[in-house]
Amino acid sequence: MDGEKLGDGSKGAMSLTERACYPYVAGKRWLLGLVDTVGYQLVTFIISCHFCLKGTTLGLVGQAGLPFAQKVLKLSAQESQRYGIVAAFPWSIKPLVGMISDVLPIAGYNKRYYCFISSILGAGAITYLAAMPLDSSSALTYVAAMVLINLQVSVVDLLTEGKYTETMARVPEASSDIVSFVWLTVSWGGLLATAISFFVLQTEKYHVMFWCALPFSLQAVFTSFFGLLPEVKLAVSKLDLDLLTKHRDMFLMGTFMGCLSVALAVTQLATENMYVEFGVTLGVASVLSVSMFFFMEKRLAKATLFLFLTNTVSVSFGSAMQYWFTVDETCNPGGPHFDYLFFTVYTSVIAQVFNALGIYLFNVYLSKFRMRSALIVSALISSTASLGDFAMVMRWNLRWGIPDRWFYLIGDTILEPIVLMMAFMPSTVLISKMCPKNMEATTFAILASFSNLGGALSSSFGVFAMQAAGIKTDVESGQCDFSNLPWLIVVCGMCLPLVAVPLTFVLIPDIDMSDNLKEEEGLPEPGGDKAGEKTPLIKKE
């Protein structure tokens, strides 16, 4: 692009004032160059989606979640995690939503009114949570509202991503600038949400968090209705049967994944029988693991299966840990008893900084590894990341003379974001190398849904694990039991992530992290397709 890249340009011999103003001047020049290249409408809608919705709205709603669950709804850790699975299911049906918007325009537009309708629902849900007096009997309506909020953000995010990905294909020289701008807007939105939370959480009026989120959600109603997302109006609004037929397999896969997501969510609401939940979760995981080989090209399916399985078997028991850290003396005698301000605000700011450090360390060290080695190292890193939690639950830090807050800051807030980011990055690199040419956006949407479903299944297995371990967190009565939490950390947090090690040798090609694989070059897989053959995302008849 003609505008200069962020940070480009020689500062030369500048005065102290000019040097101080240089980041602002360079940033403004870069942003204006981006506007000139891709248009002000797309830049504005990226701000609307990623800064206002994905960064600020989700940040505020997310930071209100734990105090709302404990103090207002009086949920146990298992209930909180179960309802979280239901609330997040819209993220697992993104491919289905994308296909519907592509084949069924509304009033001549494939994107505008889908964003508009979902934004009305999301803003309405936030208004309800802010205005209505909720209590322990309001859990289901709270979950329904959270589903609508996640539906708004996921739909607008998906359709915005489709538009800027299309722009990146049309103007490839602007690709890095668009990606950087998206990342920056989400980060700035998250930081704003953290700053707002700092003041609101001190008042203990947790519904105010939703009032603060409302304008950031509501603005998307107007930006979508007035067409700030660039889109050409179609002459006729009707079901596009030709497109539907052409991408039949993709549509079937999206529909299939959507049905399984709904089945998993309904199970969380319909029963608290741990064995029924376990059976349904195991069935969904098994069916998904097999079905991807019917819809996807073999090599991409194997990489997807690796990421899906490693995500799923890393059983999540995050709610149990959150409650152990934050409940009072009655529920957890001798525990750390962190306040929400420390646990969600202070640590969030520090973790964001060390996330970036994790990316830097990956680029400097792990990026030089072969793919299999990098994924094995990332599995080992993920496993060791739980050592800090184990030491704290065993109260070893107090024996060592380290106060709870300092030990938590060093372990969970500083070291864990670094190691988790270093574990996450090799997976991202793997997918980028496996994406078929000209199908990158579609591939990432589908793989993101598999990842989201893997996370939901991990949480569902985690509910079973908490129940099997006898974890009790009745914060209202104070009847709690964390005695088996150390074993939960050892089995689910430290041992199960190591399943990735043998899977690496079965499902991952032995390629170099620095290999620049092109679709037409094929992948060095013994017995696979010949080099030079095309590798479409979806199998052809």
Side-chain angles (χ1 to χ4, degrees):
M1 58 186 289
D2 293 330
E4 80 178 72
K5 302 282 184 182
L6 184 60
D8 283 354
S10 173
K11 291 187 276 289
M14 293 182 177
S15 66
L16 185 61
T17 302
E18 290 173 326
R19 286 182 180 276
C21 294
Y22 181 78
Y24 167 77
V25 174
K28 180 180 178 181
R29 189 184 302 121
W30 171 73
L31 181 59
L32 291 176
L34 184 63
V35 171
D36 288 341
T37 303
V38 304
Y40 80 92
Q41 288 180 291
L42 180 58
V43 170
T44 303
F45 208 85
I46 288 175
I47 294 173
S48 169
C49 172
H50 291 88
F51 175 79
C52 294
L53 289 182
K54 207 169 181 181
T56 309
T57 301
L58 277 192
L60 289 167
V61 171
Q63 291 182 353
L66 182 61
F68 224 76
Q70 290 182 347
K71 301 296 186 182
V72 179
L73 302 176
K74 311 294 184 182
L75 300 178
S76 68
Q78 290 92 329
E79 289 172 327
S80 178
Q81 186 152 315
R82 184 181 291 116
Y83 292 149
I85 297 169
V86 179
F89 100 91
W91 292 92
S92 298
I93 60 172
K94 286 175 69 174
L96 180 60
V97 172
M99 285 299 299
I100 292 174
S101 69
D102 283 340
V103 302
L104 187 61
I106 300 176
Y109 292 99
N110 292 106
K111 295 179 173 64
R112 177 183 296 190
Y113 292 109
Y114 285 98
C115 292
F116 174 67
I117 294 170
S118 65
S119 293
I120 288 179
L121 295 174
I126 291 178
T127 303
Y128 170 81
L129 293 177
M132 296 299 292
L134 303 182
D135 54 30
S136 58
S137 65
S138 309
L140 291 181
T141 53
Y142 173 81
V143 173
M146 293 301 294
V147 169
L148 295 179
I149 294 169
N150 278 293
L151 180 67
Q152 177 194 13
V153 181
S154 64
V155 169
V156 177
D157 175 54
L158 169 68
L159 300 181
T160 306
E161 183 182 57
K163 178 53 66 174
Y164 71 67
T165 302
E166 175 188 316
T167 303
M168 287 163 62
R170 179 173 53 84
V171 192
E173 63 271 20
S175 296
S176 61
D177 293 286
I178 293 174
V179 172
S180 298
F181 186 64
V182 168
W183 182 84
L184 285 170
T185 50
V186 173
S187 299
W188 290 337
L191 288 173
L192 177 60
T194 301
I196 295 172
S197 302
F198 172 79
F199 295 102
V200 176
L201 288 177
Q202 296 182 69
T203 69
E204 298 187 358
K205 297 178 180 179
Y206 305 118
H207 69 285
V208 175
M209 296 282 282
F210 295 105
W211 281 122
C212 294
L214 181 58
F216 296 99
S217 172
L218 193 60
Q219 56 79 31
V221 174
F222 301 99
T223 57
S224 56
F225 181 78
F226 290 108
L228 280 180
L229 184 63
E231 187 177 10
V232 177
K233 185 176 182 180
L234 302 176
V236 181
S237 291
K238 65 177 183 179
L239 182 65
D240 192 338
L241 293 174
D242 292 337
L243 186 62
L244 187 61
T245 303
K246 180 179 179 181
H247 298 289
R248 182 191 62 182
D249 286 346
M250 190 186 303
F251 188 81
L252 288 174
M253 183 171 66
T255 303
F256 185 61
M257 292 175 67
C259 291
L260 291 177
S261 300
V262 171
L264 186 65
V266 169
T267 301
Q268 303 301 320
L269 297 175
T271 181
E272 293 186 5
N273 186 305
M274 58 189 287
Y275 297 106
V276 172
E277 289 181 343
F278 180 80
V280 171
T281 305
L282 184 61
V284 170
S286 301
V287 170
L288 278 172
S289 298
V290 174
S291 64
M292 63 182 69
F293 285 90
F294 288 93
F295 294 109
M296 289 180 159
E297 187 273 331
K298 180 182 177 183
R299 290 167 297 194
L300 183 61
K302 290 173 71 174
T304 304
L305 178 62
F306 173 84
L307 299 176
F308 174 73
L309 288 180
T310 52
N311 199 8
T312 301
V313 301
S314 298
V315 174
S316 171
F317 53 97
S319 291
M321 291 304 306
Q322 288 181 335
Y323 275 57
W324 187 85
F325 282 125
T326 57
V327 292
D328 58 22
E329 181 70 18
T330 304
C331 188
N332 186 16
H337 315 311
F338 293 149
D339 60 83
Y340 299 127
L341 192 64
F342 170 80
F343 191 68
T344 64
V345 176
Y346 295 158
T347 57
S348 175
V349 175
I350 298 171
Q352 290 220 23
V353 174
F354 286 94
N355 267 329
L357 180 58
I359 296 174
Y360 169 77
L361 292 175
F362 167 80
N363 287 328
V364 172
Y365 299 106
L366 212 56
S367 62
K368 297 179 175 64
F369 283 43
R370 294 186 69 79
M371 184 63 69
R372 284 179 179 174
S373 300
L375 291 170
I376 290 172
V377 170
S378 72
L380 296 174
I381 287 173
S382 296
S383 176
T384 56
S386 296
L387 282 173
D389 288 339
F390 182 78
M392 199 164 181
V393 170
M394 296 297 292
R395 312 309 283 143
W396 291 349
N397 63 295
L398 297 182
R399 298 179 200 171
W400 300 334
I402 307 175
D404 285 328
R405 291 200 174 203
W406 282 107
F407 194 81
Y408 184 81
L409 284 175
I410 295 170
D412 287 62
T413 309
I414 295 176
L415 296 180
E416 188 168 325
I418 295 175
V419 299
L420 290 181
M421 187 57 67
M422 291 180 70
F424 167 76
M425 289 301 291
S427 301
T428 305
V429 174
L430 173 64
I431 291 303
S432 70
K433 292 181 179 297
M434 301 294 284
C435 283
K437 187 178 180 181
N438 300 324
M439 294 289 287
E440 291 86 357
T442 305
T443 304
F444 270 100
I446 292 173
L447 294 177
S449 295
F450 272 113
S451 176
N452 292 328
L453 264 172
L457 292 167
S458 171
S459 294
S460 187
F461 280 129
V463 173
F464 171 82
M466 284 187 275
Q467 291 176 311
I471 303 296
K472 295 180 181 178
T473 52
D474 190 339
V475 293
E476 192 167 12
S477 67
Q479 296 180 354
C480 303
D481 186 355
F482 292 101
S483 57
N484 286 326
L485 186 56
W487 286 108
L488 206 59
I489 296 172
V490 170
V491 175
C492 298
M494 299 171 67
C495 295
L496 288 179
L498 297 178
V499 172
V501 175
L503 289 177
T504 302
F505 295 98
V506 178
L507 299 174
I508 302 302
D510 188 19
I511 58 177
D512 214 46
M513 289 279 284
S514 59
D515 284 348
N516 185 23
L517 296 177
K518 302 292 185 182
E519 179 188 18
E520 59 270 20
E521 293 172 353
L523 288 173
E525 178 181 84
D529 297 335
K530 297 177 182 178
E533 290 184 356
K534 298 294 181 181
T535 55
L537 170 64
I538 304 299
K539 282 187 172 182
K540 303 297 182 183
E541 295 294 334

